[in-house]
Amino acid sequence: MEKVFALVDCNNFYASCEKMFRPDLADTAVVVLSNNDGCVVARSKEAKALGIKMGVPYFQIRELVEKHGVVAFSSNYALYADMSSRVMTTLEQLAPSIEVYSIDEAFVDLTGVDSCLGLSEFGQQIRTTISDWIGIKVCVGIAPSKTLAKLANHAAKKWSKAEGVVDLTDRVRQRKLMALLPVSEVWGIGSRITKRLNEMHIYTALDLADAPTKHIRSQFSVVVERTVSELNGDSCLRLEEVADKKKEIISSRSFSERITQLSQMQEAISEYVHRACEKLRSQKSNAMQLTVFLRTSPFSDRQTEPYYANSASGELIYPSNDTRDFLHLANQLLSKIWKEGYRYAKSGVMLTDFYDEGIRQQQLFADELGSRCNPALMAVVDQINQQHSRNAIYFAAKGTRQNWSMKRDLLSPAYTTCWSAIPKV
DNA sequence: TCTGGGGTCCTAGGACCC
DNA sequence: TCTGGGGTCCTAGGACCC
């Protein structure tokens, strides 16, 4: 049977979440900022109409914000994650199988649906249900491959005439739409590849769909080759219903103010280790390898302020998910790359080389003393932090004041969850 | 002054082995 | 004197995504 996918994508998701609890802002331009209130990461339709671009640094639009009374929010991920899970749960009730692709979008398998109900009607049903139950507006794109469903969704958002649903199962409609869209709008085609495609006189999505596969393969990786097949309605990407366990876990942040002292950096790195290990345990993995990295600001003037960035990796004797094992290693690694005299802007840690809990390779010369691994203790720590506040219990290494922590001056309240942010002290 | 964070996949090239 | 070549594993880096 011919495959049919739908892509359901929330409109202006973060901005919509903020607006939902502030009816007074219904017609106001709203933007949501990245961590440290650095860049714009979401815009309401009114903010888009003012010409505010995605990813623009907040300080560059200050004037515009004041002039038009734009309301800005620090990102409140606890709120967005909670709203997201409500949307996804609703979607699961409406469709046989879904793949949660990101916090605000999901693929749905609609294969066979058109025999009982028109695809467009089904799309409309999804829209109204999610809007009525959750209060979030979504758009739906329907097509025989994921890449085309993405394009259909793009069209549903762009053209109000579509009323939020575009059915692109028809080949003629596919070609008509692709001819109108620049190749850069295709899923998987980023700025670098767009530039090279343009040099090959490939400008629209249709140009790419019609490009000879052999030629594309000789210039790019198999990823681009697959994209061409997908644009031609040949589905190469399956619906991935169960999320795979992560293969690496990163915890990193930019600092609200530059860090110059090793003791502060040790605290920050310890905090990242703490968070990364929490994530590691939540997916029931153990890790062998830890990387610590740090850097000064890449945006400052190199003449007055030299740039320095470095990283160091190390391994445990065997896999663990005990925070203390990694705290110990992190400190050793940090001392390898720490250099006095720089103003550090960002640092972080990365866990890699994962093993499932309970699977442990026997090492000939390693004894139990090499690791502090204590699953029972860590389970208790996680449980207390989940039930009470996020930082009820922690290891003293990460510091109690955290005067380097991030700036979130414009944070909305915890409308739906018991905690929303680490309070800045 | 102020510029996010967290992931995945693919490829090229080096190391190593037989 | 003659100094191969193929396979595999690992890693760093590039490119993409939201």
Side-chain angles (χ1 to χ4, degrees), chain A residues 262-267 269-270 292-294 312 329-339 347:
Chain A
L262 178 58
S263 62
Q264 289 178 306
M265 188 63 89
Q266 282 166 337
E267 283 187 12
I269 293 292
S270 301
V292 172
F293 57 91
L294 45 73
L329 180 56
N331 256 313
Q332 294 175 345
L333 295 171
L334 175 58
S335 63
K336 282 191 196 172
I337 53 175
W338 173 263
K339 278 206 220 167
S347 69

Side-chain angles (χ1 to χ4, degrees), chain A residues 373-412:
Chain A
C373 195
N374 183 340
L377 174 66
M378 297 318 296
V380 170
V381 170
D382 288 341
Q383 202 187 351
I384 291 174
N385 283 339
Q386 254 170 41
Q387 283 175 0
H388 300 276
S389 85
R390 190 158 183 214
N391 280 280
I393 295 195
Y394 53 85
F395 295 99
K398 74 178 194 162
T400 51
R401 291 194 318 280
Q402 301 202 338
N403 51 10
W404 43 266
S405 73
M406 62 177 178
K407 195 168 83 181
R408 292 166 93 187
D409 293 340
L410 310 165
L411 188 65
S412 51

Side-chain angles (χ1 to χ4, degrees), chain A residues 31-269:
Chain A
V31 295
V32 178
L33 306 174
S34 63
N35 287 332
N36 277 317
D37 297 341
C39 298
V40 171
V41 293
R43 308 153 294 158
S44 72
K45 65 174 192 296
E46 300 82 7
K48 285 178 185 171
L50 287 174
I52 297 173
K53 297 270 179 269
M54 183 70 177
V56 68
Y58 184 46
F59 73 90
Q60 285 177 11
I61 58 160
R62 273 272 155 76
E63 220 169 281
L64 199 68
V65 164
E66 276 163 30
K67 192 172 154 201
H68 292 96
V70 177
V71 175
F73 289 93
S74 303
S75 36
N76 185 345
Y77 286 106
L79 173 65
Y80 314 146
D82 184 62
M83 294 308 299
S84 172
S85 85
R86 296 180 192 201
V87 170
M88 299 307 173
T89 309
T90 305
L91 205 48
E92 268 162 4
Q93 293 177 42
L94 296 170
S97 47
I98 79 167
E99 170 190 342
V100 178
Y101 177 68
S102 75
I103 194 161
D104 71 338
E105 59 190 305
F107 286 103
V108 180
D109 187 354
L110 292 188
T111 308
V113 163
D114 58 335
S115 56
C116 43
L117 182 69
L119 289 168
S120 292
E121 284 95 305
F122 192 78
Q124 287 299 345
Q125 196 174 308
I126 288 175
R127 286 193 83 212
T128 25
T129 310
I130 293 178
S131 177
D132 290 353
W133 293 9
I134 317 295
I136 290 283
K137 299 260 188 289
V138 302
C139 282
V140 183
I142 301 163
S145 70
K146 282 181 162 184
T147 305
L148 281 173
K150 273 266 188 189
L151 272 192
N153 188 280
H154 179 79
K157 284 223 162 96
K158 192 166 174 181
W159 288 297
S160 53
K161 214 174 60 181
E163 293 183 334
V165 178
V166 167
D167 173 4
L168 214 57
T169 44
D170 178 64
R171 188 67 195 147
V172 177
R173 291 197 74 191
Q174 287 168 21
R175 295 186 63 85
K176 232 166 102 181
L177 177 70
M178 285 195 286
L180 293 171
L181 294 178
V183 71
S184 59
E185 293 294 344
V186 175
W187 190 36
I189 305 298
S191 62
R192 301 294 179 93
I193 292 177
T194 296
K195 200 173 158 227
R196 286 170 56 199
L197 287 170
N198 288 168
E199 283 163 8
M200 297 161 66
H201 303 288
I202 292 170
Y203 303 104
T204 66
L206 187 61
D207 292 341
L208 182 60
D210 288 340
T213 315
K214 264 193 186 164
H215 187 46
I216 292 296
R217 183 64 190 96
S218 71
Q219 301 294 311
F220 304 97
S221 75
V222 294
V223 179
V224 181
E225 186 187 19
R226 266 202 300 259
T227 298
V228 174
S229 303
E230 285 247 320
L231 284 178
N232 284 297
D234 177 11
S235 172
C236 307
L237 304 167
R238 291 179 307 137
L239 196 80
E240 316 258 0
E241 282 183 75
V242 270
D244 287 342
K245 285 188 180 183
K246 300 200 185 319
K247 294 166 185 167
E248 59 184 53
I249 289 172
I250 296 172
S251 177
S252 77
R253 288 286 184 282
S254 298
F255 306 119
S256 54
E257 283 158 33
R258 302 282 185 259
I259 278 187
T260 54
Q261 289 169 26
L262 178 58
S263 62
Q264 289 178 306
M265 188 63 89
Q266 282 166 337
E267 283 187 12
I269 293 292

